[in-house]
């Protein structure tokens, strides 16, 4: 992998990781609701979950989806339903006051598994696994791509969780935090619109 390809790969990973999407909206809300430290497992789950996706997609799953396009449609429907559920969960988060004992941030395993129903994660991991690997060097290139995605992507998503903790200082009233989380849930729902339009075009 030459330096020009490496530079393009790093740029792709930064842009894909730092731009708004379901993961980052959830991290922003989690940082505001639970704080940075309690959001660390969520961030690590996202990072390593994406690495696992890159490895599996790069080493053969992409070909399976190409042969059975209905799998992608089924995934899209499932992911939309799950993201709507998560939007409701974010909107009803209560954070550090009130019924906070019943609330908890997303765990490492939940965040890692979530990537498989996250449309943006699919687009990012499929794109990076197919655009920056050589067909005759997959067993070398795919792990390298996964490693770079983890190293570059983790600091990017940490900015969103950190931003949530900054916002948290401004949301010391339960009503303000509730309004913020409802706004984050609405943005998460809005992020589904492009995917739904694409799904309707495929139908």
């Amino acid at each position: 992998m030459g330096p020009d390809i490496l530079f393009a790969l790093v740029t792709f990973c930064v842009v894909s990781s730092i731009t708004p999407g379901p993961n980052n909206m959830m991290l922003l809300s989690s940082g505001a609701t639970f704080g940075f430290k309690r959001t660390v497992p969520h961030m690590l789950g996202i990072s390593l979950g994406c690495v696992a996706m890159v490895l599996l997609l790069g080493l053969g799953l992409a070909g399976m989806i190409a042969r059975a396009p209905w799998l992608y449609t089924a995934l899209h429907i499932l992911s939309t339903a799950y993201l709507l559920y998560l939007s409701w969960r974010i909107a009803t988060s209560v954070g550090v006051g009130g019924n906070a004992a019943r609330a908890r941030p997303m765990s490492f395993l939940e965040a890692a598994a979530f990537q498989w129903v996250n449309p943006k994660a699919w687009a990012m991991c499929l794109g990076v696994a197919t655009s920056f690997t050589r067909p005759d060097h997959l067993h070398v290139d795919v792990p390298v791509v996964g490693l770079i995605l983890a190293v570059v992507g983790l600091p990017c998503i940490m900015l969103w969780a950190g931003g949530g903790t900054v916002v948290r200082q401004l949301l010391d009233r339960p009503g303000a935090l509730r309004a913020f989380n409802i706004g984050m849930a609405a943005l998460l729902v809005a992020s589904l619109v492009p995917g739904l339009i694409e799904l309707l075009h495929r139908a």
Side-chain angles (χ1 to χ4, degrees):
M1 188 179 295
D4 52 338
I5 299 297
L6 186 61
F7 178 78
L9 171 60
V10 170
T11 301
F12 177 91
C13 292
V14 169
V15 173
S16 298
S17 300
I18 207 167
T19 49
N23 280 327
N24 289 334
M25 292 299 100
M26 291 166 64
L27 287 174
L28 186 64
S29 177
S30 183
T33 305
F34 304 109
F36 188 88
K37 184 177 180 180
R38 293 185 67 193
T39 304
V40 168
H42 187 167
M43 290 185 282
L44 293 177
I46 290 172
S47 183
L48 295 182
C50 285
V51 170
M53 282 189 75
V54 168
L55 293 176
L56 290 173
L57 289 170
L59 296 175
L61 188 56
M64 184 185 303
I65 293 173
R67 290 191 297 271
W70 64 268
L71 286 175
Y72 182 83
T73 301
L75 171 74
H76 219 136
I77 294 171
L78 176 64
S79 66
T80 298
Y82 187 61
L83 283 168
L84 289 174
Y85 161 73
L86 287 177
S87 298
W88 171 81
R89 182 172 159 180
I90 288 172
T92 56
S93 294
V94 290
V96 295
N99 298 320
R102 294 191 289 107
R104 64 174 181 82
M106 185 172 279
S107 70
F108 172 85
L109 290 178
E110 287 171 335
F114 170 68
Q115 304 318 304
W116 292 95
V117 293
N118 179 356
K120 185 185 176 186
W122 269 90
M124 178 180 70
C125 294
L126 186 59
V128 78
T130 56
S131 300
F132 298 98
T133 58
R134 298 163 292 179
D136 53 341
H137 293 83
L138 287 179
H139 287 84
V140 174
D141 289 355
V142 170
V144 170
V145 166
L147 177 62
I148 291 175
L149 177 61
V151 170
V152 173
L154 185 57
C156 293
I157 63 175
M158 287 173 67
L159 292 175
W160 285 88
T165 62
V166 173
V167 171
R168 186 183 189 184
Q169 306 303 317
L170 307 175
L171 302 175
D172 55 352
R173 291 174 292 115
L177 181 59
R178 178 68 180 275
F180 174 78
N181 281 336
I182 289 174
M184 290 300 99
L187 287 174
L188 183 55
V189 172
S191 74
L192 301 177
V193 173
L196 289 174
I197 293 174
E198 179 188 349
L199 188 62
L200 290 174
H201 286 165
R202 286 171 173 266

